[in-house]
């Protein structure tokens, strides 16, 4: 999903909670990875592999000049002959610790095995974020979590029909790569400011034509 489609989607969602919610979660992601220059681990469940989000975050990292957003995709099953960047198994989570961020993405239940690994990573100091369908056990482990909207059981239209976990991932990745607020200006020393004022006052007036 390109920037134009993201902008159109935000227009459709204007007036709902989702534009602000996805930006808030993206802010949590950036705040977690930025101080440490990276260390972002991305993992799904055994039945769901978030490779699409991995690709989008990698693109956002390149376009925004924020390399720390480029994730390492952790896989439940690594096929033979996979390239190095796609050959990271669950054993990587055992080494996750302080300074690293673990982003768990899954539409369904993560499974007891993954929850145990996530718990260990958090206990070792990693920041845990969850982007999912609203699993309570996973949210209990996460420092921050965002659940994609579920379809109303009565077939109502409480949320746009196309707003699912995949769409929410697009909004989060786009928001994570957006330009941050400009850095605050440094306070100049009093003498520096006085010198600049003196230069301005003594500068000759421009010539008249």
């Amino acid at each position: 999903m390109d920037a134009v489609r993201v902008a159109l989607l935000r227009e459709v969602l204007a007036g709902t909670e989702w534009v602000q919610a996805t930006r808030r979660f993206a802010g949590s992601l950036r705040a977690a990875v930025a101080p440490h220059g990276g260390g972002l681990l991305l993992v799904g469940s055994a039945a769901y592999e978030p490779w699409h989000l991995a690709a989008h975050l990698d693109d956002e990292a390149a376009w925004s000049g924020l390399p720390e957003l480029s994730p390492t995709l952790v896989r439940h099953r690594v096929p033979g002959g996979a390239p190095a960047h796609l050959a990271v198994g669950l054993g990587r989570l055992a080494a996750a610790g302080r300074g690293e961020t673990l982003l768990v993405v899954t539409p369904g239940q993560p499974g007891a095995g993954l929850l145990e690994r996530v718990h260990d990573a958090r206990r070792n100091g990693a920041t845990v974020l969850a982007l999912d369908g609203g699993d309570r056990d996973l949210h209990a482990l996460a420092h921050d979590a965002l659940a994609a909207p579920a379809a109303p059981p009565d077939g109502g239209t409480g949320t746009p029909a196309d707003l699912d976990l995949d769409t929410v991932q697009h909004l989060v990745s786009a928001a994570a790569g957006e330009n941050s607020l400009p850095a605050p200006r440094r306070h100049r020393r009093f003498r520096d400011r006085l010198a600049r004022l003196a230069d301005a006052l003594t500068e000759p007036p421009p010539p008249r034509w």
Side-chain angles (χ1 to χ4, degrees):
M1 185 178 293
D2 57 28
V4 174
R5 291 182 180 179
V6 169
L8 291 174
L9 181 57
R10 285 174 175 166
E11 287 186 11
V12 171
L13 296 175
T16 73
E17 65 180 286
W18 293 104
V19 174
Q20 185 64 25
T22 52
R23 281 183 167 147
R24 179 200 59 75
F25 187 80
S28 293
L29 175 60
R30 285 180 59 151
V33 300
H36 308 289
L40 175 58
L41 303 176
L42 176 62
V43 66
S45 63
Y48 182 86
E49 191 168 74
W51 62 269
H52 204 178
L53 178 59
H56 278 286
L57 285 173
D58 199 50
D59 288 341
E60 293 294 339
W63 294 335
S64 64
L66 298 169
E68 58 267 23
L69 288 176
S70 184
T72 296
L73 180 62
V74 179
R75 312 180 72 181
H76 288 252
R77 293 179 296 275
V78 178
H85 69 288
L86 295 177
V88 180
L90 288 176
R92 175 65 179 83
L93 299 185
R98 190 171 303 278
E100 293 186 296
T101 302
L102 175 58
L103 174 57
V104 185
V105 181
T106 175
Q109 294 182 343
L114 179 59
L115 285 174
E116 183 177 351
R117 292 174 185 270
V118 172
H119 176 270
D120 290 343
R122 171 163 179 155
R123 184 177 58 188
N124 291 334
T127 299
V128 176
L129 303 177
L131 186 56
D132 69 338
D135 184 84
R136 291 183 179 180
D137 292 332
L138 179 56
H139 283 212
L141 292 174
H143 292 88
D144 195 0
L146 179 62
D154 58 357
T157 57
T159 57
D162 294 334
L163 188 59
D164 55 11
L165 180 62
D166 287 340
T167 307
V168 171
Q169 289 178 60
H170 284 299
L171 291 171
V172 168
S173 61
E178 287 175 344
N179 291 332
S180 58
L181 295 175
R185 293 189 300 177
R186 298 176 182 175
H187 295 291
R188 294 189 180 95
R189 291 185 306 174
F190 175 75
R191 289 183 180 179
D192 293 337
R193 287 180 289 169
L194 186 60
R196 292 175 65 87
L197 177 60
D199 290 340
L201 292 175
T202 56
E203 184 177 355
R208 296 180 180 179
W209 300 101

